[in-house]
Amino acid sequence: MISMSSQSYLKARASVMSGQLIDEDAFESLLHAPLPQLEGQFGLEGISDRGLSPAELNRTIERGLINQLMNELSILLRPLNGAARESLIYWSRKFELYNLKALIRGKLNNLPYDLIRESLHILPSRISLPHEALLRTENVPELLRQLERTPYEAIARQARQVYEEKNESFSLDATIDLRYHAGLLKHAQSCDREDQVPLLKLIGSLIDRQNLPWLLRYRLNYQLSPTETYYLMIPSGRHIHAELLKQLVNMQGMPQILEALPAPLDSRLAGSGTIMAVELAMTEDLNHQARRCLQFSPSAVTRSLAYMMLREMDLRRVFAIIQGRVLTLDEQLIRQAADLDREVTGV
Amino acid sequence: MFRPLPMKQVLIQLLADDLPRAALTLAELGVFSPCSKEGFNEHFPNIPGAHYRELYHQACSRLQKIESHITLRPALSISPTRVISEQELNTTNEWLGEVWERCSSFEEHFRRLTDEEHMLNQLEQTLDNFASLNIDLSLLHGERLFLDLHVGMLPSVNVPKLREAIGLADYLLFSYLENSNNTHVIIMGSKGAREQELRSVLDTAGFHALEIPPELDDKPDRIRTDLQQRRNAVALERAERQQAMQACGEELRAQLEQSRDLLILAESFVAMEDAARNVGHLAIISGWVPERELKRVESALHTTLDSPFQITASTPSRAEHREVPTYLPVNWLTSAFSSLVKQYGVPRYGEINPTLIFALSFIAMFGMMFGDVGHGAVIVLAAWLGRKRLKSFTPFVICAGLSATLFGLLYGSLFGYEHLFHAVWIAPLSDPLYMLSMALFWGIGFMVVISLLYIHNRLVSGEISHALFDTNGVVSITLYLSVLSGAYNFYQSGSFGWLPAALSIFTLLTLLAFKLIEIHAPPGERMLVATIETFETLTGYVSNTLSFLRVAAFSLNHVALAIAVFTLAEMMEGTGHVLMVIGGNLFILILEGAIVTIQALRLEYYEGFSRFFSGDGEEFKPLKLSLQGAK
């Protein structure tokens, strides 16, 4: 139970921190700002002068931005306790799951140690796996045995079953995502009643963003059956609820699926011709929902989670800009990578 | 003794081929700490041995994993030493890879056996469950013409999702038993085109089919016997595997120990990292060596290297002191005290080494608070008897015991008895106020010494303004002494005295002015923070000094506890009396002994170290022939 004073403090904190969120105009100016200024603004001073390889550069920028995100998360966690705190920490575990997927994928494809290591995020110890020990494993079964000795034991067990039955990485990825989102929902459900409803709505939007593009991929690209596609979907979406998902997985083409979506998704996704376009539109929808939560939600922890989601989205775009600028890529390419030509929906 | 050893930054210029030999020689000497020097990166851009390092780390990781299955004897000194070539390292790494594969397959097999045992348990529970059902179980096994039927189990968390998913393929799921995160289910639907679709989703959901033995409906005892036989077979297989694992360990142990020694020898070159650089055939090694060891290093390199080399040593400038590692030599007597100092931090290069001051003041304070000849002697005896367990902490405990004995003589106390011999100095309870005033003087002396150490450390690092004006600097200590002197005058004559008053005001204002200059903030905030910090400096000195009253308080407490024990003993007779005295003394020894140790450490760390000792220095860690990498 969060006290009234902590609620007020956290709302004020989230509100102050929301000043750091970057609007579209600011993104435009970041694209044209001098590189040293850009690096300084995000705590990455001098990275372009260090003569790093593209891979090292990626790693350095990504690490810097994730550090920033984790520092901000630590600030928001301070007044929180109990289930609300755990929910916010659990959200941040997604970064470690990226690592987990990279590790499993790397081991499945027999990638060399350095290559896998380069793709891992450096994270705070509270969510981090023992990377070195996992990297030094020599095959997937050994990796899974090691993982079974970590807090990710449940995921590892599930991953083992999928690996032994199917031996393919996309099923593993889907299973990991499924467990992660189910865990996030479970954490939100154990929060106080006043936090629970808004949190579930926000997480529902996150799940919708995850479900729809993957539904299209599973059905149209991987040709999975409706049954298996539905099994790999995460229930409890905000607009795309379980019953609708059952109808969607039985449909054969993208236009048919998009037409069957409820408002406001139908209008937002109208005209999306590719899965990538659908993903961008869903990200935009999530952005819109999160901004609403940040401004109007009665729950402080929901505002905090909304802020972290938005900040993550912003920093990903900043990452694309800095990376493109340091590698002196074509401006159009950077604009595309940082999604700078999106249409902005008002809150 | 009071300062870390003077260090020299050395640069060894040599041929690239000699790098591994030089690294090995330096590791054998154990007085060289490798450290990259940025100025050379441009001229010597390459860091040699990247592949060697990768092989070494992989081999170490494999050895470490193997050691969790095969116990090796502790490494003894390796003689004669030799340079390990990349090819030899590669061969060892590959061999360790093969050994690990064997160990890993054992590990995986054990895991499968555990899973099988788990499955047998589940099956037995299933049978129990089926046995109580009032249905014809023969219907559950075998192929059917129209019905697609699956009996099995899956993780409970997947059940609701699977039920909904297979519903899309017109299948039904019934759960009949749930235990330890798994649910036993029956899945049925009509045979047809969607069978394959079902199998795929069942695999994804982690479904395990369970056999329904045909005899189930009429011969349950026989099935139970079969299950027991399978369980026995698993246990037997486990035992056989364990035996095989043991045999494997016996067979490979000697070679594994050789491999470990080889890795120890290879580590010296690996540990050089970017301190060893090269361009073509020319190479450099940079690092730190204690000044007194420089000649030994040079002569050892002359002996071992066939090709010419050059060694140059430079004294670090004051500006470079932050980068210089601090070498605090220890011996058997000071080792434990040094460990306790390092718990707080390592002094910067050039700063006073606080180990000796810590050792002396800790021993003295322990004795003052725990003065008793008998208790001290017991501590000394216990430390001697437990020396194998205490290891380097034996001298520490013996010193504490001797100090307690010495103060016991001064206080005239033997196992709490105050009348067995005359106190050389004073029995604490005879004049508590005197004891308190002595503790106060001890505290004042301690604070003055600590402030002098702070002033010295700041002067050494060139921070003259801080040495003069900062908290703990010259001005602060003058303020402290003038306030004390004024308070003493006031206590004696009722007046503060003009000189202490003038000095106090002057130093207070100077301190305030310095804080105002130092703090960078808007004017209002600057004034507020400076005033509070100045006030805090004064109150800090006063409260820290008063903190030392606990030294006297614990010496009184020691006597009071003994009185309590004797009062209880007086209420008993014969054996009860003796047991009470012995038990009470043990209670005092253990409980009060622990409390006094903590209090003395607290005074050292909080009142002492926090005032003069930044503790952010870097410890000198020389290259050694050790198992650092392999562990």
Side-chain angles (χ1 to χ4, degrees):
Chain A
M1 179 85 187
I2 315 170
S3 65
M4 281 296 286
S5 58
S6 293
Q7 284 266 9
S8 311
Y9 170 77
L10 197 56
K11 281 180 188 169
R13 256 290 177 197
S15 172
V16 170
M17 286 167 87
S18 67
Q20 298 182 90
L21 294 175
I22 308 165
D23 59 29
E24 293 305 312
D25 293 339
F27 271 117
E28 280 293 335
S29 57
L30 284 182
L31 189 62
H32 301 106
L35 200 52
Q37 183 197 323
L38 196 56
E39 291 167 1
Q41 196 176 338
F42 294 96
L44 300 165
E45 288 88 351
I47 50 151
S48 51
D49 308 328
R50 284 185 225 156
L52 301 173
S53 68
E56 286 170 330
L57 193 70
N58 272 354
R59 208 166 132 76
T60 313
I61 300 173
E62 209 168 16
R63 191 187 302 171
L65 297 181
I66 287 182
N67 270 349
Q68 192 155 349
L69 204 62
M70 290 298 134
N71 289 341
E72 291 175 16
L73 177 68
S74 305
I75 295 170
L76 293 171
L77 284 176
R78 268 179 224 147
L80 285 173
N81 55 33
R85 183 186 168 85
E86 289 308 314
S87 300
L88 219 51
I89 293 177
Y90 192 88
W91 172 82
S92 70
R93 285 188 189 272
K94 63 191 283 184
F95 297 103
E96 195 51 29
L97 292 183
Y98 295 151
N99 285 343
L100 187 58
K101 289 179 195 173
L103 274 162
I104 294 175
R105 223 175 285 137
K107 293 289 171 192
L108 266 176
N109 298 312
N110 284 322
L111 297 184
Y113 169 90
D114 283 333
L115 207 61
I116 306 177
R117 196 169 64 115
E118 270 177 14
S119 59
L120 299 182
H121 301 296
I122 309 285
L123 296 171
S125 55
R126 68 169 166 256
I127 55 167
S128 183
L129 287 165
H131 289 169
E132 197 50 41
L134 294 173
L135 275 167
R136 290 284 173 201
T137 56
E138 312 211 354
N139 48 43
V140 178
E142 191 192 339
L143 172 75
L144 294 173
R145 279 204 308 276
Q146 287 270 5
L147 269 176
E148 280 168 8
R149 295 171 202 153
T150 68
Y152 295 83
E153 185 199 347
I155 286 179
R157 284 196 175 279
Q158 180 96 25
R160 178 187 288 286
Q161 281 163 352
V162 175
Y163 168 74
E164 284 176 352
E165 304 292 345
K166 302 213 160 183
N167 198 357
E168 57 190 21
S169 64
F170 89 81
S171 289
L172 274 175
D173 282 5
T175 310
I176 291 170
D177 285 337
L178 191 65
R179 291 296 289 239
Y180 167 73
H181 286 98
L184 193 58
L185 281 169
K186 200 173 158 192
H187 275 85
Q189 278 156 356
S190 58
C191 285
D192 300 329
R193 199 164 179 74
E194 54 269 30
D195 289 327
Q196 209 182 97
V197 178
L199 256 183
L200 286 174
K201 271 189 183 171
L202 181 60
I203 294 171
S205 296
L206 183 70
I207 289 172
D208 282 346
R209 202 265 311 244
Q210 173 78 12
N211 271 346
L212 189 58
W214 279 104
L215 184 146
L216 295 168
R217 276 188 200 115
Y218 291 146
R219 288 293 287 132
L220 308 179
N221 294 357
Y222 301 149
Q223 303 289 323
L224 293 190
S225 66
T227 316
E228 192 162 6
T229 304
Y230 180 78
Y231 181 78
L232 292 172
M233 294 290 106
I234 307 142
S236 314
R238 182 173 183 172
H239 299 296
I240 310 173
H241 47 79
E243 284 310 311
L244 180 58
L245 268 178
K246 283 179 191 167
Q247 293 168 27
L248 295 179
V249 293
N250 274 308
M251 293 174 181
Q252 301 301 327
M254 192 155 130
Q256 199 188 352
I257 291 172
L258 297 185
E259 272 168 31
L261 292 173
L265 292 182
D266 54 352
S267 56
R268 284 195 185 145
L269 293 168
S272 302
T274 61
I275 298 177
M276 179 66 92
V278 170
E279 195 156 27
L280 285 175
M282 290 303 287
T283 304
E284 183 50 37
D285 180 66
L286 177 64
N287 192 309
H288 174 74
Q289 300 297 346
R291 278 184 193 274
R292 277 185 69 86
C293 282
L294 181 58
Q295 285 185 16
F296 307 116
S297 176
S299 151
V301 66
T302 310
R303 287 192 191 200
S304 303
L305 181 61
Y307 170 76
M308 291 309 300
M309 286 177 174
L310 289 166
R311 188 71 171 143
E312 188 211 342
M313 286 189 255
D314 277 4
L315 290 180
R316 280 188 189 284
R317 296 172 74 191
V318 169
F319 171 69
I321 293 174
I322 299 180
Q323 193 188 29
R325 296 282 309 278
V326 174
L327 296 174
T328 55
L329 298 181
D330 176 56
E331 186 181 320
Q332 198 47 45
L333 207 59
I334 302 175
R335 295 185 76 84
Q336 200 182 339
D339 189 23
L340 288 184
D341 300 319
R342 65 162 66 158
E343 283 175 28
V344 185
T345 325
V347 174
Chain B
M1 186 187 287
F2 284 103
R3 277 179 158 202
L5 285 185
M7 303 295 287
K8 290 278 185 187
Q9 180 158 43
V10 296
L11 178 74
I12 305 164
Q13 290 163 278
L14 69 171
L15 293 181
D17 291 344
D18 280 344
L19 274 175
R21 165 55 63 194
L24 188 61
T25 307
L26 292 169
E28 282 182 87
L29 288 172
V31 292
F32 174 83
S33 170
C35 174
S36 164
K37 196 163 162 56
E38 275 198 9
F40 296 109
N41 296 3
E42 203 179 318
H43 302 296
F44 294 88
N46 307 324
I47 302 168
H51 186 235
Y52 191 91
R53 234 184 303 281
E54 176 49 34
L55 287 174
Y56 169 83
H57 286 306
Q58 192 174 35
C60 274
S61 156
R62 286 173 169 169
L63 181 67
Q64 206 176 350
K65 289 189 287 190
I66 292 166
E67 277 195 81
S68 62
H69 296 278
I70 302 170
T71 314
L72 304 185
R73 285 166 297 189
L76 302 170
S77 63
I78 304 163
S79 180
T81 57
R82 63 194 173 86
V83 171
I84 306 300
S85 68
E86 190 167 313
Q87 196 187 354
E88 201 176 353
L89 187 61
N90 190 29
T91 311
T92 306
N93 182 36
E94 279 175 11
W95 181 75
L96 286 170
E98 286 165 22
V99 176
W100 170 239
E101 215 172 288
R102 283 173 74 178
C103 293
S104 182
S105 74
F106 277 121
E107 213 174 75
E108 188 62 21
H109 204 89
F110 285 134
R111 194 196 61 74
R112 286 188 189 284
L113 287 176
T114 308
D115 279 358
E116 201 172 329
E117 277 169 347
H118 186 64
M119 184 67 97
L120 287 172
N121 289 340
Q122 298 287 329
L123 204 55
E124 196 162 38
Q125 286 179 19
T126 310
L127 291 176
D128 288 341
N129 201 269
F130 278 147
S132 61
L133 290 178
N134 188 21
I135 56 168
D136 181 2
L137 293 169
S138 59
L139 295 174
L140 290 178
H141 53 79
E143 280 286 310
R144 270 152 301 273
L145 195 56
F146 301 110
L147 193 65
D148 186 22
L149 186 80
H150 304 263
V151 181
M153 63 174 189
L154 72 156
S156 298
V157 286
N158 297 349
V159 172
K161 197 72 202 299
L162 185 67
R163 182 180 278 128
E164 282 191 62
I166 62 173
L168 295 176
D170 300 324
Y171 273 80
L172 296 169
L173 182 149
F174 302 99
S175 60
Y176 61 91
L177 178 67
E178 195 175 336
N179 54 27
S180 62
N181 303 326
N182 283 313
T183 299
H184 295 243
V185 295
I186 297 173
I187 293 166
M188 60 178 81
S190 57
K191 268 192 176 278
R194 304 193 87 165
E195 274 178 63
Q196 194 49 44
E197 191 177 331
L198 180 83
R199 277 180 223 293
S200 179
V201 73
L202 288 185
D203 287 345
T204 309
F207 175 85
H208 281 280
L210 288 177
E211 282 176 52
I212 306 294
E215 306 92 336
L216 185 68
D217 39 349
D218 56 3
K219 292 176 185 162
D221 287 345
R222 189 177 144 191
I223 299 160
R224 277 188 210 289
T225 315
D226 282 353
L227 275 180
Q228 190 53 44
Q229 276 171 358
R230 278 170 71 182
R231 209 190 294 279
N232 292 345
V234 169
L236 188 71
E237 197 177 342
R238 186 183 285 279
E240 279 172 3
R241 284 275 161 178
Q242 267 163 349
Q243 225 166 7
M245 180 84 226
Q246 217 167 351
C248 170
E250 296 300 329
E251 175 200 329
L252 300 172
R253 184 165 292 119
Q255 208 175 338
L256 282 169
E257 283 168 0
Q258 277 176 19
S259 302
R260 179 194 54 199
D261 292 351
L262 184 139
L263 290 177
I264 292 173
L265 292 172
E267 195 198 359
S268 52
F269 181 50
V270 172
M272 282 287 171
E273 292 186 345
D274 56 350
R277 310 185 77 93
N278 78 311
V279 55
H281 290 293
L282 297 176
I284 54 160
I285 295 175
S286 55
W288 299 97
V289 173
E291 193 176 353
R292 69 180 187 190
E293 302 287 354
L294 201 58
K295 281 212 162 54
R296 202 155 70 90
V297 171
E298 201 170 349
S299 119
L301 288 173
H302 269 298
T303 315
T304 53
L305 298 186
D306 299 327
S307 311
F309 73 95
Q310 193 184 356
I311 180 165
T312 46
S314 57
T315 306
S317 65
R318 185 174 276 177
E320 289 172 323
H321 275 198
R322 292 297 292 270
E323 296 161 26
V324 186
T326 304
Y327 186 8
L328 305 171
V330 289
N331 52 40
W332 63 273
L333 187 63
T334 57
S335 166
F337 294 102
S338 183
S339 301
L340 286 169
V341 168
K342 283 180 202 162
Q343 287 296 314
Y344 188 89
V346 177
R348 289 181 198 164
Y349 181 70
E351 286 187 353
I352 292 275
N353 175 6
T355 308
L356 192 66
I357 297 156
F358 168 77
L360 292 176
S361 54
F362 177 85
I363 292 168
M365 283 195 284
F366 185 86
M368 287 180 212
M369 291 193 264
F370 202 69
D372 189 294
V373 176
H375 293 156
V378 171
I379 291 174
V380 172
L381 186 69
W384 180 251
L385 293 175
R387 62 188 181 281
K388 280 190 182 155
R389 275 175 171 253
L390 286 170
K391 292 178 184 163
S392 65
F393 270 74
T394 310
F396 171 82
V397 183
I398 288 179
C399 287
L402 289 175
S403 173
T405 309
L406 176 68
F407 275 90
L409 283 171
L410 296 175
Y411 295 161
S413 174
L414 177 73
F415 288 119
Y417 290 103
E418 302 271 314
H419 55 274
L420 295 179
F421 63 93
H422 280 293
V424 175
W425 179 27
I426 184 175
L429 219 53
S430 66
D431 192 350
L433 279 178
Y434 176 75
M435 291 304 291
L436 287 170
S437 58
M438 284 299 107
L440 203 62
F441 282 124
W442 167 263
I444 293 167
F446 190 89
M447 298 303 294
V448 170
V449 170
I450 293 301
S451 293
L452 292 176
L453 292 179
Y454 174 82
I455 293 165
H456 169 272
N457 285 349
R458 294 287 72 78
L459 287 174
V460 163
S461 56
E463 297 166 273
I464 296 167
S465 62
H466 283 83
L468 289 174
F469 303 113
D470 203 359
T471 307
N472 303 319
V474 174
V475 171
S476 299
I477 193 73
T478 313
L479 170 67
Y480 173 58
L481 291 175
S482 59
V483 169
L484 281 179
S485 144
Y488 183 73
N489 285 345
F490 190 78
Y491 175 70
Q492 288 290 325
S493 60
S495 131
F496 200 83
W498 69 267
L499 186 62
L503 263 176
S504 301
I505 293 166
F506 174 72
T507 48
L508 205 60
L509 291 174
T510 312
L511 206 57
L512 180 66
F514 179 73
K515 300 271 183 207
L516 281 169
I517 295 165
E518 278 285 291
I519 295 162
H520 299 286
E525 190 183 329
R526 178 185 288 206
M527 193 64 211
L528 187 72
V529 175
T531 310
I532 291 170
E533 282 194 2
T534 307
F535 184 67
E536 200 189 359
T537 303
L538 182 61
T539 54
Y541 265 113
V542 174
S543 61
N544 287 168
T545 308
L546 291 178
S547 213
F548 282 87
L549 289 178
R550 78 188 65 211
V551 176
F554 274 96
S555 69
L556 296 168
N557 178 48
H558 189 78
V559 185
L561 270 175
I563 291 172
V565 169
F566 289 129
T567 310
L568 288 171
E570 288 300 320
M571 297 156 97
M572 301 173 197
E573 285 177 0
T575 318
H577 180 91
V578 175
L579 285 177
M580 187 65 224
V581 171
I582 294 172
N585 270 287
L586 275 175
F587 175 78
I588 294 172
L589 255 170
I590 296 166
L591 186 74
E592 207 204 338
I595 293 172
V596 161
T597 308
I598 292 166
Q599 290 298 335
L601 277 176
R602 182 218 173 273
L603 287 170
E604 294 285 352
Y605 285 158
Y606 186 69
E607 262 70 48
F609 287 1
S610 66
R611 285 191 167 265
F612 77 99
F613 179 29
S614 51
D616 59 357
E618 193 191 328
E619 193 182 356
F620 177 73
K621 287 185 181 153
L623 198 61
K624 280 183 181 169
L625 281 185
S626 69
L627 273 173
Q628 289 311 306
K631 288 288 168 193

